[in-house]
Amino acid sequence: MQQPSRQSLQVAAVPAQRQVRDRTDDAPWHTEAVCRRDEAGLFFAPSKEPTAARLSREEAAKRVCARCPVMVECREHALLQPEPYGVWGGLTAAERRVVLARRRRRDLELQKAAHAAGIAAAG
């Protein structure tokens, strides 16, 4: 898949309690993204950005994400790609790595439980 340019859509996602919206039209989810109307630079770090500036910029980006109607779709896109940079779906790259690690651990635990259940049923 082609990497988006810095000027293209760079968004964030929604808290778990938000529901994924039903898509009845053929428009891609990102056409409704709030960040399309904001400065793309808010969602991606300039090179050699000082830590305080980065944290401030990321918080501002997350505020944009918090009011976005397609935050869930954006977050899932960033987790499935996985997008290595920027704020997507209200999560920074580091936060997305944590979510992915938790999902991998959960999936592994489910596989182990299913395997154990299969052994118990057979024995």
Side-chain angles (χ1 to χ4, degrees), residues 10-13 34-35 38-44 49 51-68 71 86-92 95:
Q10 309 302 335
V11 272
V34 173
C35 65
D38 289 314
E39 177 61 39
L42 188 62
F43 297 90
F44 290 90
E49 181 179 34
T51 301
R54 177 183 53 81
L55 294 173
S56 177
R57 179 188 49 74
E58 288 174 346
E59 285 305 313
K62 288 178 178 186
R63 285 191 299 274
V64 172
C65 295
R67 68 178 198 267
C68 185
M71 191 171 108
V87 175
W88 290 76
L91 298 176
T92 64
E95 291 166 336

Side-chain angles (χ1 to χ4, degrees), residues 6-111:
R6 291 185 81 104
Q7 296 301 317
S8 69
L9 168 69
Q10 309 302 335
V11 272
V14 179
Q17 69 268 21
R18 281 200 195 167
Q19 298 295 318
V20 175
R21 296 159 32 118
D22 289 335
R23 287 252 171 261
T24 56
D25 59 4
D26 290 332
W29 63 266
H30 52 80
T31 60
E32 297 180 45
V34 173
C35 65
R36 291 178 64 93
R37 298 181 292 276
D38 289 314
E39 177 61 39
L42 188 62
F43 297 90
F44 290 90
S47 62
K48 299 180 183 178
E49 181 179 34
T51 301
R54 177 183 53 81
L55 294 173
S56 177
R57 179 188 49 74
E58 288 174 346
E59 285 305 313
K62 288 178 178 186
R63 285 191 299 274
V64 172
C65 295
R67 68 178 198 267
C68 185
V70 294
M71 191 171 108
V72 170
E73 292 92 337
C74 178
R75 179 175 291 171
E76 285 306 311
H77 163 82
L79 291 168
L80 292 173
Q81 285 307 309
E83 292 290 349
Y85 305 107
V87 175
W88 290 76
L91 298 176
T92 64
E95 291 166 336
R96 290 191 303 276
R97 286 190 295 273
V98 169
V99 169
L100 289 170
R102 286 179 181 162
R103 284 185 179 182
R104 283 190 298 271
R105 279 194 305 273
R106 182 200 64 213
D107 291 347
L108 185 58
E109 289 171 6
L110 290 172
Q111 287 175 356

